[in-house]
Amino acid sequence: MGQGAELDELERSLALVLRGLTDRATVSDLAERSGHDLPPASWALLEHLAARGALRVSDIAACHGVDVSSVTPRLKRLETAGLVQRERAASDGRAFLITITAEGTRALESVHAARREILRDALSGVEPGRLAHTAAVLRRVADHLAREPAGTRHGP
């Protein structure tokens, strides 16, 4: 993609989409459609556990760039809801591993389905080829961001 106006427009559009996905009305809509009323940060934790498997609380916090004290209450709420479980680590009896439960996986699938419904509504009439191209571009951006440490994401 070239520089200039197109890149500016893409950046603004992505910011609007990100803001829209965390907007109170959208979060409420997702909760209603999925049957699960969780804040976006809790969904992010479930996504993380689904993708990476069992993790220590400290590893989860480090991956999200927050302190353990910030992530622990969220994990406790997810555990109370039956979406994650805590087990002693076999290698260290003092440590616990957090894993997503089958119910957590079903909840995550339901929020994905709810997001797809919202996208379907927003993108009705857009040609499938354009959607596939857009998805590929967004995947490239996501892959690039996943490879780079946060502190190095600057410059051209």
Side-chain angles (χ1 to χ4, degrees):
M1 173 174 229
Q3 301 295 317
E6 296 90 354
L7 197 55
D8 289 347
E9 182 60 26
L10 177 61
E11 186 277 329
R12 281 192 293 278
S13 296
L14 285 172
L16 288 170
V17 168
L18 291 171
R19 190 169 33 248
L21 287 173
T22 58
D23 176 79
R24 185 177 306 217
T26 304
V27 171
S28 293
D29 188 16
L30 281 171
E32 186 176 317
R33 291 175 191 240
S34 71
H36 296 278
D37 189 11
L38 293 174
S42 293
W43 289 119
L45 283 176
L46 286 176
E47 293 276 6
H48 192 78
L49 288 168
R52 290 175 178 81
L55 293 170
R56 294 174 190 242
V57 175
S58 58
D59 294 332
I60 295 168
C63 287
H64 287 270
V66 297
D67 190 74
V68 170
S69 63
S70 297
V71 80
T72 299
R74 198 172 306 135
L75 287 170
K76 285 185 180 181
R77 284 191 295 275
L78 291 172
E79 186 176 17
T80 299
L83 304 178
V84 300
Q85 64 187 15
R86 181 182 308 256
E87 302 170 341
R88 289 223 180 259
S91 62
D92 180 354
R94 300 167 297 162
F96 286 93
L97 293 176
I98 307 297
T99 57
I100 189 169
T101 63
E103 180 58 29
T105 300
R106 283 189 293 276
L108 204 49
E109 289 169 358
S110 72
V111 85
H112 285 218
R115 285 182 191 149
R116 283 191 301 273
E117 286 177 21
I118 290 169
L119 286 170
R120 193 174 300 114
D121 294 344
L123 298 170
S124 67
V126 176
E127 297 170 22
R130 290 186 68 195
L131 290 178
H133 180 74
T134 301
V137 169
L138 291 174
R139 172 57 63 185
R140 181 176 175 175
V141 171
D143 289 347
H144 176 77
L145 293 174
R147 282 195 309 267
E148 286 192 27
T152 64
R153 288 188 202 142
H154 53 76

